[in-house]
């Protein structure tokens, strides 16, 4: 890692350098199609549109790595031929990703670049230059609970706001070359390091709520069959899937075929899906593995808090709070964790099933 200091006015030079080296530069900016002050990641054509002091965007930058509607191939039903199977990806620089979103990307790396590599995700990952930026938590943010309030890898450049300047962390060779070519950067001095440390302490102190995460996977397993607890949460669910759509870690997708007008050729594509949709777990003969709101909500959080933790040692949540805003009935990670803890505290001393056996007995966690 190489550390530099740049003045804030130099940020526009960095933007121009990115434009000269990448097909597209995207970053957080006011939404052009939204009535309120919402911010979105979108293509930047004007540096003045860039907002690095933002709270949370509507959708995470995940959409640039796992496209909401992505072409997989084209086919011909008559001949059985398939073509256009190779991923098509432009080079892109993403400006202003928060630590939670970068940590979410690292979780997706475990899934899509693990034992079975997804070539479409891989192509997008390799062709994307990532610039992270520091932030301050707002009410509802619990990224500290999941260890995603800090990030030490997964980016090319990272900008920490020191007021009148940025503390710049260069993590890759392309990043260092970009800085050398386009920025008037200097070495950090004692005052810079002191301000950086003060900024870090201020960030840590800004969190107002920290869920109790001790033994959460085991506690979840012990309470998995508690119908009363889950009905209190699941009965509220609208099965709209909004939580999955805005989540930077949710990655379920469906594969669909779309025929052309001639009825012979067509397109196979994949689209975002949600385990909260009523038809998500439907199989042949109209059987549904999770037919109720409660069963789907319980499964979704089991996947987040237990399934991936068992496989990869990480929970599939980064505490970004997007689902807090998207869910109209207030079903959030913090609410689920609080309900589990309160129920456990209310039943201290009561006989409960062995947590480890309960967790291992759970069925599919895709």
């Amino acid at each position: 890692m190489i550390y530099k200091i740049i003045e804030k006015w130099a940020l526009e030079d960095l933007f121009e350098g990115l434009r000269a080296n990448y097909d597209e530069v995207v970053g957080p900016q006011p939404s052009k199609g939204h009535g309120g002050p919402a911010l979105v990641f979108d293509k930047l054509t004007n540096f003045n549109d860039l907002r690095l002091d933002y709270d949370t965007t509507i959708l995470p930058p995940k959409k640039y790595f796992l496209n909401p509607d992505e072409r997989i191939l084209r086919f011909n039903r008559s001949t059985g031929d398939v073509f256009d199977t190779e991923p098509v990806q432009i080079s892109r620089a993403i400006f202003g990703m928060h630590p939670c979103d970068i940590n979410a990307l690292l979780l997706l790396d475990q899934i899509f670049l693990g034992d079975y590599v997804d070539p479409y995700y891989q192509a997008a990952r390799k062709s994307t230059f990532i610039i992270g930026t520091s932030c301050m938590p707002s009410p509802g943010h619990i990224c500290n609970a999941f260890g995603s309030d800090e990030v030490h890898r997964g980016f090319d450049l990272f900008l920490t706001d020191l007021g009148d300047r940025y503390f710049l962390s260069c993590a890759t060779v392309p990043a260092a070359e970009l800085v050398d070519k386009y920025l008037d950067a200097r070495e950090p001095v004692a005052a810079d390091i002191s301000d950086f440390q003060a900024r870090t302490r201020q960030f840590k102190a800004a969190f107002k709520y920290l869920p109790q995460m001790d033994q959460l996977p085991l506690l979840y397993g012990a309470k998995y069959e508690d119908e009363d607890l889950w009905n209190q949460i699941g009965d509220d669910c609208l099965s709209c899937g909004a939580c999955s759509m805005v989540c930077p870690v949710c990655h379920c997708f469906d594969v669909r075929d779309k025929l052309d007008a001639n009825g012979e050729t067509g397109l196979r594509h994949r689209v975002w899906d949600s385990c909260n949709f009523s038809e998500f777990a439907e199989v042949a003969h109209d059987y549904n593995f999770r037919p109720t709101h409660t069963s789907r909500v319980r499964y979704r959080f089991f996947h987040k808090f237990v399934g991936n933790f068992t496989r990869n040692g990480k929970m599939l949540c980064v505490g970004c709070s997007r689902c807090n805003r998207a869910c109209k009935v207030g079903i959030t990670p913090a609410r689920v964790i609080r309900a589990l803890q309160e129920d456990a505290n209310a039943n201290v001393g009561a006989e409960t099933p062995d947590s480890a056996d309960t967790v291992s007995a759970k069925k599919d966690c895709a």
Side-chain angles (χ1 to χ4, degrees), residues 8 11 28 41 51-56 95-103 130-138 141 143 148-151 155 157-169 195-204 206-207:
K8 284 199 167 179
L11 210 59
F41 277 96
R51 287 278 305 276
L52 293 185
D53 59 343
Y54 72 101
D55 176 14
T56 304
F95 219 127
M97 286 178 61
H98 283 171
C100 58
D101 281 333
I102 298 175
N103 277 298
I130 294 175
I131 302 154
T133 185
S134 61
C135 60
M136 292 300 289
S138 296
H141 286 205
C143 52
S148 56
D149 54 328
E150 295 182 0
V151 65
F155 58 85
L157 286 174
F158 194 89
L159 300 164
T160 301
D161 192 339
L162 299 184
D164 60 346
R165 64 203 187 283
Y166 285 109
F167 192 98
L168 188 64
S169 303
D195 287 348
F196 176 83
Q197 293 171 335
R199 174 65 171 71
T200 302
R201 289 193 296 269
Q202 181 188 12
F203 172 71
K204 294 289 187 181
F207 287 97

Short mmCIF file of all heavy atoms in Angstrom, two decimals, residues 8 11 28 41 51-56 95-103 130-138 141 143 148-151 155 157-169 195-204 206-207:
data_model
loop_
_atom_site.label_atom_id
_atom_site.label_comp_id
_atom_site.label_asym_id
_atom_site.label_seq_id
_atom_site.Cartn_x
_atom_site.Cartn_y
_atom_site.Cartn_z
N LYS A 8 -8.11 18.84 -2.16
CA LYS A 8 -9.44 18.51 -2.68
C LYS A 8 -9.64 18.99 -4.11
O LYS A 8 -10.36 18.36 -4.89
CB LYS A 8 -10.52 19.07 -1.76
CG LYS A 8 -10.70 18.25 -0.50
CD LYS A 8 -12.02 18.49 0.18
CE LYS A 8 -12.28 17.44 1.24
NZ LYS A 8 -13.57 17.66 1.94
N LEU A 11 -9.11 16.54 -7.07
CA LEU A 11 -10.02 15.45 -7.37
C LEU A 11 -10.51 15.50 -8.82
O LEU A 11 -10.71 14.47 -9.46
CB LEU A 11 -11.20 15.49 -6.41
CG LEU A 11 -11.85 14.15 -6.07
CD1 LEU A 11 -10.85 13.22 -5.43
CD2 LEU A 11 -13.04 14.38 -5.13
N PRO A 28 -21.61 8.36 -7.40
CA PRO A 28 -22.85 8.80 -6.77
C PRO A 28 -23.20 10.21 -7.19
O PRO A 28 -22.37 11.12 -7.17
CB PRO A 28 -22.52 8.73 -5.27
CG PRO A 28 -21.02 8.82 -5.20
CD PRO A 28 -20.51 8.18 -6.43
N PHE A 41 -25.77 5.56 -8.18
CA PHE A 41 -24.57 5.38 -8.97
C PHE A 41 -24.97 5.40 -10.44
O PHE A 41 -25.82 4.62 -10.88
CB PHE A 41 -23.89 4.04 -8.64
CG PHE A 41 -23.03 4.10 -7.42
CD1 PHE A 41 -23.51 3.70 -6.19
CD2 PHE A 41 -21.71 4.54 -7.49
CE1 PHE A 41 -22.72 3.74 -5.05
CE2 PHE A 41 -20.90 4.59 -6.37
CZ PHE A 41 -21.40 4.19 -5.15
N ARG A 51 -21.00 13.41 -6.05
CA ARG A 51 -21.26 13.68 -4.66
C ARG A 51 -20.56 12.64 -3.79
O ARG A 51 -20.96 11.48 -3.76
CB ARG A 51 -22.76 13.63 -4.39
CG ARG A 51 -23.53 14.82 -4.93
CD ARG A 51 -23.45 16.02 -4.00
NE ARG A 51 -23.90 15.68 -2.67
CZ ARG A 51 -25.17 15.68 -2.28
NH1 ARG A 51 -26.12 16.00 -3.15
NH2 ARG A 51 -25.49 15.38 -1.04
N LEU A 52 -19.50 13.04 -3.11
CA LEU A 52 -18.79 12.12 -2.23
C LEU A 52 -19.22 12.26 -0.78
O LEU A 52 -18.79 11.47 0.07
CB LEU A 52 -17.28 12.34 -2.35
CG LEU A 52 -16.65 11.97 -3.70
CD1 LEU A 52 -15.14 12.11 -3.64
CD2 LEU A 52 -17.05 10.56 -4.13
N ASP A 53 -20.08 13.23 -0.48
CA ASP A 53 -20.55 13.41 0.89
C ASP A 53 -21.91 12.75 1.09
O ASP A 53 -22.69 13.14 1.97
CB ASP A 53 -20.65 14.90 1.23
CG ASP A 53 -21.59 15.65 0.29
OD1 ASP A 53 -21.91 15.10 -0.79
OD2 ASP A 53 -21.99 16.78 0.62
N TYR A 54 -22.20 11.73 0.29
CA TYR A 54 -23.53 11.13 0.32
C TYR A 54 -23.68 10.15 1.49
O TYR A 54 -22.71 9.67 2.07
CB TYR A 54 -23.81 10.42 -1.01
CG TYR A 54 -23.05 9.13 -1.24
CD1 TYR A 54 -23.67 7.90 -1.03
CD2 TYR A 54 -21.72 9.14 -1.67
CE1 TYR A 54 -22.98 6.72 -1.25
CE2 TYR A 54 -21.04 7.96 -1.89
CZ TYR A 54 -21.66 6.75 -1.69
OH TYR A 54 -20.98 5.58 -1.90
N ASP A 55 -24.92 9.85 1.80
CA ASP A 55 -25.25 8.91 2.86
C ASP A 55 -25.31 7.49 2.28
O ASP A 55 -24.42 6.69 2.50
CB ASP A 55 -26.59 9.32 3.48
CG ASP A 55 -27.07 8.34 4.53
OD1 ASP A 55 -26.27 7.51 4.97
OD2 ASP A 55 -28.25 8.42 4.93
N THR A 56 -26.36 7.20 1.53
CA THR A 56 -26.54 5.88 0.92
C THR A 56 -27.25 6.06 -0.42
O THR A 56 -28.20 6.84 -0.50
CB THR A 56 -27.37 4.95 1.81
OG1 THR A 56 -26.76 4.85 3.10
CG2 THR A 56 -27.45 3.55 1.22
N PHE A 95 -16.38 5.52 -8.92
CA PHE A 95 -15.90 6.55 -8.01
C PHE A 95 -16.78 6.58 -6.76
O PHE A 95 -18.00 6.65 -6.85
CB PHE A 95 -16.01 7.91 -8.72
CG PHE A 95 -14.87 8.85 -8.45
CD1 PHE A 95 -14.18 9.44 -9.51
CD2 PHE A 95 -14.51 9.17 -7.17
CE1 PHE A 95 -13.14 10.32 -9.28
CE2 PHE A 95 -13.46 10.05 -6.92
CZ PHE A 95 -12.78 10.63 -7.97
N GLY A 96 -16.18 6.53 -5.58
CA GLY A 96 -16.93 6.83 -4.36
C GLY A 96 -17.66 5.69 -3.71
O GLY A 96 -18.73 5.90 -3.12
N MET A 97 -17.13 4.47 -3.75
CA MET A 97 -17.76 3.35 -3.05
C MET A 97 -17.42 3.39 -1.57
O MET A 97 -16.27 3.55 -1.19
CB MET A 97 -17.32 2.01 -3.66
CG MET A 97 -17.94 1.71 -5.00
SD MET A 97 -17.36 0.15 -5.74
CE MET A 97 -17.89 -1.06 -4.52
N HIS A 98 -18.43 3.24 -0.73
CA HIS A 98 -18.21 3.21 0.71
C HIS A 98 -17.61 1.87 1.14
O HIS A 98 -17.73 0.87 0.42
CB HIS A 98 -19.53 3.43 1.44
CG HIS A 98 -19.99 4.86 1.45
ND1 HIS A 98 -21.24 5.25 1.90
CD2 HIS A 98 -19.36 6.01 1.08
CE1 HIS A 98 -21.36 6.56 1.81
NE2 HIS A 98 -20.24 7.04 1.31
N PRO A 99 -16.98 1.81 2.31
CA PRO A 99 -16.40 0.54 2.78
C PRO A 99 -17.39 -0.61 2.81
O PRO A 99 -17.04 -1.74 2.46
CB PRO A 99 -15.91 0.89 4.19
CG PRO A 99 -15.58 2.35 4.12
CD PRO A 99 -16.63 2.94 3.22
N CYS A 100 -18.64 -0.34 3.20
CA CYS A 100 -19.62 -1.44 3.25
C CYS A 100 -19.86 -2.02 1.86
O CYS A 100 -20.00 -3.25 1.71
CB CYS A 100 -20.93 -0.96 3.87
SG CYS A 100 -21.72 0.43 3.05
N ASP A 101 -19.90 -1.18 0.83
CA ASP A 101 -20.13 -1.68 -0.53
C ASP A 101 -18.91 -2.43 -1.07
O ASP A 101 -19.05 -3.39 -1.84
CB ASP A 101 -20.51 -0.54 -1.47
CG ASP A 101 -21.96 -0.11 -1.32
OD1 ASP A 101 -22.78 -0.95 -0.92
OD2 ASP A 101 -22.27 1.06 -1.61
N ILE A 102 -17.73 -2.00 -0.69
CA ILE A 102 -16.53 -2.73 -1.10
C ILE A 102 -16.48 -4.07 -0.39
O ILE A 102 -16.15 -5.11 -1.00
CB ILE A 102 -15.27 -1.91 -0.82
CG1 ILE A 102 -15.29 -0.61 -1.62
CG2 ILE A 102 -14.01 -2.71 -1.16
CD1 ILE A 102 -14.14 0.34 -1.31
N ASN A 103 -16.82 -4.10 0.89
CA ASN A 103 -16.87 -5.37 1.61
C ASN A 103 -17.94 -6.30 1.04
O ASN A 103 -17.76 -7.52 1.02
CB ASN A 103 -17.13 -5.12 3.10
CG ASN A 103 -15.86 -4.79 3.86
OD1 ASN A 103 -14.94 -5.60 3.93
ND2 ASN A 103 -15.79 -3.60 4.44
N ILE A 130 -11.74 0.61 -8.95
CA ILE A 130 -12.59 1.01 -7.83
C ILE A 130 -11.91 2.06 -6.97
O ILE A 130 -10.76 1.88 -6.53
CB ILE A 130 -12.97 -0.21 -6.96
CG1 ILE A 130 -13.85 -1.16 -7.76
CG2 ILE A 130 -13.68 0.22 -5.69
CD1 ILE A 130 -14.17 -2.45 -7.04
N ILE A 131 -12.62 3.16 -6.74
CA ILE A 131 -12.16 4.22 -5.85
C ILE A 131 -13.12 4.29 -4.67
O ILE A 131 -14.30 4.65 -4.82
CB ILE A 131 -12.12 5.58 -6.56
CG1 ILE A 131 -11.21 5.51 -7.79
CG2 ILE A 131 -11.61 6.67 -5.61
CD1 ILE A 131 -11.57 6.50 -8.83
N GLY A 132 -12.64 3.92 -3.49
CA GLY A 132 -13.46 3.98 -2.30
C GLY A 132 -13.36 5.35 -1.64
O GLY A 132 -12.43 6.12 -1.91
N THR A 133 -14.32 5.64 -0.77
CA THR A 133 -14.29 6.91 -0.05
C THR A 133 -14.83 6.72 1.36
O THR A 133 -15.71 5.87 1.58
CB THR A 133 -15.12 7.99 -0.78
OG1 THR A 133 -14.99 9.23 -0.12
CG2 THR A 133 -16.59 7.62 -0.82
N SER A 134 -14.31 7.49 2.29
CA SER A 134 -14.76 7.39 3.67
C SER A 134 -16.15 7.99 3.81
O SER A 134 -16.63 8.71 2.93
CB SER A 134 -13.78 8.12 4.59
OG SER A 134 -13.70 9.50 4.24
N CYS A 135 -16.81 7.68 4.91
CA CYS A 135 -18.16 8.20 5.14
C CYS A 135 -18.37 8.37 6.64
O CYS A 135 -17.50 8.04 7.44
CB CYS A 135 -19.20 7.24 4.56
SG CYS A 135 -19.14 5.58 5.30
N MET A 136 -19.54 8.88 7.00
CA MET A 136 -19.96 8.95 8.40
C MET A 136 -21.29 8.23 8.51
O MET A 136 -22.19 8.43 7.67
CB MET A 136 -20.10 10.40 8.86
CG MET A 136 -18.77 11.16 8.94
SD MET A 136 -17.58 10.42 10.10
CE MET A 136 -18.35 10.84 11.66
N PRO A 137 -21.45 7.37 9.51
CA PRO A 137 -22.69 6.58 9.61
C PRO A 137 -23.90 7.43 9.95
O PRO A 137 -23.81 8.40 10.70
CB PRO A 137 -22.38 5.59 10.74
CG PRO A 137 -21.35 6.28 11.58
CD PRO A 137 -20.52 7.07 10.60
N SER A 138 -25.03 7.06 9.37
CA SER A 138 -26.31 7.69 9.69
C SER A 138 -27.10 6.74 10.58
O SER A 138 -26.75 5.57 10.72
CB SER A 138 -27.09 7.97 8.39
OG SER A 138 -26.40 8.91 7.60
N HIS A 141 -27.42 2.63 10.35
CA HIS A 141 -26.25 1.94 9.82
C HIS A 141 -25.63 1.08 10.92
O HIS A 141 -25.32 1.56 12.01
CB HIS A 141 -25.21 2.96 9.33
CG HIS A 141 -25.60 3.62 8.05
ND1 HIS A 141 -24.68 4.14 7.17
CD2 HIS A 141 -26.80 3.82 7.47
CE1 HIS A 141 -25.30 4.66 6.13
NE2 HIS A 141 -26.59 4.48 6.29
N CYS A 143 -22.98 -1.21 10.03
CA CYS A 143 -21.88 -1.90 9.35
C CYS A 143 -20.78 -2.30 10.34
O CYS A 143 -20.07 -3.27 10.10
CB CYS A 143 -21.31 -1.02 8.23
SG CYS A 143 -20.85 0.66 8.71
N SER A 148 -17.79 -4.41 8.58
CA SER A 148 -17.67 -3.85 7.23
C SER A 148 -17.54 -2.34 7.24
O SER A 148 -17.68 -1.70 6.20
CB SER A 148 -18.87 -4.27 6.36
OG SER A 148 -20.08 -3.88 6.97
N ASP A 149 -17.27 -1.77 8.42
CA ASP A 149 -17.06 -0.33 8.50
C ASP A 149 -15.66 0.06 8.06
O ASP A 149 -15.38 1.23 7.81
CB ASP A 149 -17.33 0.18 9.92
CG ASP A 149 -16.52 -0.58 10.96
OD1 ASP A 149 -16.27 -1.77 10.76
OD2 ASP A 149 -16.14 0.03 11.98
N GLU A 150 -14.76 -0.91 7.99
CA GLU A 150 -13.40 -0.70 7.50
C GLU A 150 -13.15 -1.63 6.31
O GLU A 150 -13.74 -2.70 6.21
CB GLU A 150 -12.37 -0.98 8.59
CG GLU A 150 -12.42 -0.05 9.78
CD GLU A 150 -11.34 -0.36 10.80
OE1 GLU A 150 -10.55 -1.30 10.56
OE2 GLU A 150 -11.28 0.33 11.82
N VAL A 151 -12.25 -1.21 5.45
CA VAL A 151 -11.89 -2.06 4.31
C VAL A 151 -10.41 -1.88 4.03
O VAL A 151 -9.88 -0.76 4.08
CB VAL A 151 -12.75 -1.72 3.07
CG1 VAL A 151 -12.48 -0.31 2.56
CG2 VAL A 151 -12.53 -2.75 1.97
N PHE A 155 -10.10 -2.66 -3.41
CA PHE A 155 -10.18 -1.38 -4.12
C PHE A 155 -8.83 -1.07 -4.75
O PHE A 155 -7.82 -1.70 -4.43
CB PHE A 155 -10.57 -0.26 -3.14
CG PHE A 155 -9.63 -0.10 -1.97
CD1 PHE A 155 -8.47 0.66 -2.07
CD2 PHE A 155 -9.90 -0.74 -0.77
CE1 PHE A 155 -7.59 0.79 -1.00
CE2 PHE A 155 -9.03 -0.61 0.32
CZ PHE A 155 -7.87 0.14 0.19
N LEU A 157 -8.00 2.58 -5.29
CA LEU A 157 -7.70 3.81 -4.52
C LEU A 157 -8.75 3.97 -3.42
O LEU A 157 -9.91 3.58 -3.60
CB LEU A 157 -7.75 5.04 -5.43
CG LEU A 157 -6.60 5.29 -6.40
CD1 LEU A 157 -6.93 6.48 -7.29
CD2 LEU A 157 -5.30 5.53 -5.66
N PHE A 158 -8.31 4.58 -2.32
CA PHE A 158 -9.29 4.90 -1.27
C PHE A 158 -9.00 6.30 -0.75
O PHE A 158 -7.85 6.65 -0.45
CB PHE A 158 -9.21 3.90 -0.11
CG PHE A 158 -10.40 3.99 0.81
CD1 PHE A 158 -11.52 3.22 0.56
CD2 PHE A 158 -10.41 4.85 1.90
CE1 PHE A 158 -12.64 3.31 1.39
CE2 PHE A 158 -11.51 4.96 2.72
CZ PHE A 158 -12.63 4.17 2.47
N LEU A 159 -10.08 7.10 -0.67
CA LEU A 159 -9.98 8.50 -0.25
C LEU A 159 -10.57 8.67 1.15
O LEU A 159 -11.75 8.38 1.36
CB LEU A 159 -10.74 9.40 -1.22
CG LEU A 159 -10.28 9.40 -2.69
CD1 LEU A 159 -11.37 10.01 -3.58
CD2 LEU A 159 -8.98 10.15 -2.84
N THR A 160 -9.76 9.15 2.08
CA THR A 160 -10.26 9.48 3.42
C THR A 160 -10.29 10.99 3.56
O THR A 160 -9.26 11.67 3.39
CB THR A 160 -9.36 8.87 4.51
OG1 THR A 160 -9.32 7.44 4.35
CG2 THR A 160 -9.91 9.20 5.89
N ASP A 161 -11.47 11.52 3.83
CA ASP A 161 -11.68 12.96 3.89
C ASP A 161 -11.07 13.54 5.17
O ASP A 161 -11.47 13.17 6.28
CB ASP A 161 -13.18 13.25 3.84
CG ASP A 161 -13.49 14.72 3.60
OD1 ASP A 161 -12.60 15.56 3.86
OD2 ASP A 161 -14.60 15.02 3.16
N LEU A 162 -10.11 14.45 5.01
CA LEU A 162 -9.49 15.12 6.16
C LEU A 162 -9.87 16.59 6.24
O LEU A 162 -9.16 17.39 6.83
CB LEU A 162 -7.96 14.99 6.09
CG LEU A 162 -7.39 13.56 6.12
CD1 LEU A 162 -5.87 13.60 6.14
CD2 LEU A 162 -7.93 12.77 7.30
N GLY A 163 -10.98 16.92 5.62
CA GLY A 163 -11.45 18.32 5.67
C GLY A 163 -11.07 19.11 4.44
O GLY A 163 -11.88 19.31 3.55
N ASP A 164 -9.81 19.57 4.38
CA ASP A 164 -9.36 20.35 3.23
C ASP A 164 -8.51 19.53 2.27
O ASP A 164 -8.02 20.06 1.27
CB ASP A 164 -8.56 21.56 3.71
CG ASP A 164 -7.33 21.15 4.53
OD1 ASP A 164 -7.26 19.97 4.93
OD2 ASP A 164 -6.47 22.01 4.76
N ARG A 165 -8.35 18.25 2.55
CA ARG A 165 -7.51 17.38 1.72
C ARG A 165 -7.95 15.94 1.91
O ARG A 165 -8.76 15.63 2.77
CB ARG A 165 -6.03 17.55 2.13
CG ARG A 165 -5.72 17.11 3.55
CD ARG A 165 -4.46 17.78 4.09
NE ARG A 165 -4.04 17.28 5.39
CZ ARG A 165 -4.60 17.60 6.55
NH1 ARG A 165 -5.66 18.39 6.58
NH2 ARG A 165 -4.13 17.11 7.69
N TYR A 166 -7.39 15.07 1.08
CA TYR A 166 -7.68 13.64 1.17
C TYR A 166 -6.43 12.86 1.51
O TYR A 166 -5.34 13.13 0.98
CB TYR A 166 -8.24 13.11 -0.15
CG TYR A 166 -9.67 13.50 -0.44
CD1 TYR A 166 -9.96 14.42 -1.44
CD2 TYR A 166 -10.73 12.94 0.28
CE1 TYR A 166 -11.27 14.78 -1.71
CE2 TYR A 166 -12.04 13.30 0.01
CZ TYR A 166 -12.31 14.21 -0.98
OH TYR A 166 -13.60 14.57 -1.25
N PHE A 167 -6.60 11.87 2.38
CA PHE A 167 -5.56 10.87 2.63
C PHE A 167 -5.79 9.76 1.63
O PHE A 167 -6.83 9.10 1.63
CB PHE A 167 -5.66 10.33 4.06
CG PHE A 167 -4.48 9.53 4.51
CD1 PHE A 167 -3.48 10.10 5.28
CD2 PHE A 167 -4.35 8.19 4.17
CE1 PHE A 167 -2.39 9.36 5.71
CE2 PHE A 167 -3.28 7.44 4.57
CZ PHE A 167 -2.27 8.02 5.35
N LEU A 168 -4.85 9.57 0.72
CA LEU A 168 -5.03 8.68 -0.42
C LEU A 168 -4.27 7.38 -0.22
O LEU A 168 -3.06 7.38 0.01
CB LEU A 168 -4.54 9.39 -1.69
CG LEU A 168 -4.81 8.73 -3.04
CD1 LEU A 168 -6.29 8.65 -3.31
CD2 LEU A 168 -4.12 9.54 -4.14
N SER A 169 -4.99 6.26 -0.29
CA SER A 169 -4.38 4.94 -0.17
C SER A 169 -4.39 4.28 -1.55
O SER A 169 -5.45 4.11 -2.16
CB SER A 169 -5.16 4.06 0.82
OG SER A 169 -5.23 4.67 2.09
N ASP A 195 -4.34 13.74 11.83
CA ASP A 195 -5.71 14.04 11.39
C ASP A 195 -6.43 12.78 10.91
O ASP A 195 -7.64 12.62 11.12
CB ASP A 195 -5.68 15.08 10.27
CG ASP A 195 -5.33 16.47 10.78
OD1 ASP A 195 -5.33 16.66 12.01
OD2 ASP A 195 -5.04 17.35 9.95
N PHE A 196 -5.69 11.90 10.26
CA PHE A 196 -6.28 10.63 9.81
C PHE A 196 -6.74 9.81 11.00
O PHE A 196 -7.85 9.24 11.00
CB PHE A 196 -5.25 9.85 8.98
CG PHE A 196 -5.72 8.50 8.55
CD1 PHE A 196 -6.50 8.36 7.41
CD2 PHE A 196 -5.40 7.36 9.27
CE1 PHE A 196 -6.94 7.11 6.99
CE2 PHE A 196 -5.83 6.11 8.86
CZ PHE A 196 -6.60 5.99 7.72
N GLN A 197 -5.94 9.72 12.03
CA GLN A 197 -6.30 8.98 13.23
C GLN A 197 -7.50 9.61 13.94
O GLN A 197 -8.39 8.90 14.43
CB GLN A 197 -5.10 8.89 14.17
CG GLN A 197 -3.96 8.05 13.62
CD GLN A 197 -2.68 8.14 14.45
OE1 GLN A 197 -2.47 9.13 15.16
NE2 GLN A 197 -1.85 7.11 14.39
N ALA A 198 -7.53 10.94 13.98
CA ALA A 198 -8.66 11.63 14.60
C ALA A 198 -9.94 11.37 13.82
O ALA A 198 -11.03 11.18 14.41
CB ALA A 198 -8.37 13.13 14.68
N ARG A 199 -9.83 11.37 12.50
CA ARG A 199 -11.00 11.09 11.65
C ARG A 199 -11.51 9.68 11.88
O ARG A 199 -12.73 9.44 11.92
CB ARG A 199 -10.59 11.28 10.18
CG ARG A 199 -11.65 10.89 9.15
CD ARG A 199 -12.88 11.78 9.25
NE ARG A 199 -13.80 11.57 8.17
CZ ARG A 199 -14.56 10.47 8.01
NH1 ARG A 199 -14.48 9.49 8.87
NH2 ARG A 199 -15.40 10.38 7.00
N THR A 200 -10.64 8.74 12.05
CA THR A 200 -11.03 7.36 12.32
C THR A 200 -11.75 7.24 13.66
O THR A 200 -12.77 6.56 13.77
CB THR A 200 -9.79 6.44 12.30
OG1 THR A 200 -9.15 6.54 11.03
CG2 THR A 200 -10.19 4.99 12.54
N ARG A 201 -11.23 7.92 14.68
CA ARG A 201 -11.89 7.88 15.99
C ARG A 201 -13.27 8.52 15.93
O ARG A 201 -14.23 8.03 16.55
CB ARG A 201 -11.01 8.60 17.03
CG ARG A 201 -9.74 7.84 17.39
CD ARG A 201 -9.09 8.45 18.63
NE ARG A 201 -8.66 9.83 18.39
CZ ARG A 201 -7.44 10.17 17.95
NH1 ARG A 201 -6.55 9.21 17.68
NH2 ARG A 201 -7.12 11.44 17.78
N GLN A 202 -13.39 9.61 15.20
CA GLN A 202 -14.68 10.29 15.05
C GLN A 202 -15.69 9.37 14.37
O GLN A 202 -16.87 9.31 14.76
CB GLN A 202 -14.50 11.56 14.23
CG GLN A 202 -15.77 12.36 14.02
CD GLN A 202 -15.59 13.52 13.05
OE1 GLN A 202 -14.58 13.61 12.36
NE2 GLN A 202 -16.55 14.42 13.00
N PHE A 203 -15.24 8.64 13.36
CA PHE A 203 -16.11 7.71 12.64
C PHE A 203 -16.60 6.61 13.58
O PHE A 203 -17.79 6.28 13.62
CB PHE A 203 -15.34 7.12 11.46
CG PHE A 203 -16.06 6.02 10.74
CD1 PHE A 203 -17.17 6.28 9.96
CD2 PHE A 203 -15.63 4.70 10.85
CE1 PHE A 203 -17.84 5.27 9.30
CE2 PHE A 203 -16.28 3.68 10.19
CZ PHE A 203 -17.39 3.96 9.42
N LYS A 204 -15.71 6.02 14.34
CA LYS A 204 -16.08 4.93 15.24
C LYS A 204 -17.08 5.41 16.30
O LYS A 204 -18.01 4.68 16.67
CB LYS A 204 -14.84 4.37 15.93
CG LYS A 204 -13.85 3.69 14.99
CD LYS A 204 -14.38 2.38 14.48
CE LYS A 204 -13.33 1.62 13.69
NZ LYS A 204 -13.85 0.34 13.17
N ALA A 206 -19.30 7.67 16.00
CA ALA A 206 -20.56 8.14 15.43
C ALA A 206 -21.64 7.07 15.39
O ALA A 206 -22.82 7.38 15.19
CB ALA A 206 -20.32 8.67 14.00
N PHE A 207 -21.29 5.80 15.59
CA PHE A 207 -22.29 4.73 15.58
C PHE A 207 -23.10 4.80 16.86
O PHE A 207 -22.56 4.83 17.97
CB PHE A 207 -21.62 3.36 15.44
CG PHE A 207 -21.09 3.10 14.06
CD1 PHE A 207 -19.74 3.31 13.78
CD2 PHE A 207 -21.92 2.65 13.05
CE1 PHE A 207 -19.24 3.08 12.51
CE2 PHE A 207 -21.43 2.41 11.79
CZ PHE A 207 -20.09 2.62 11.50
#
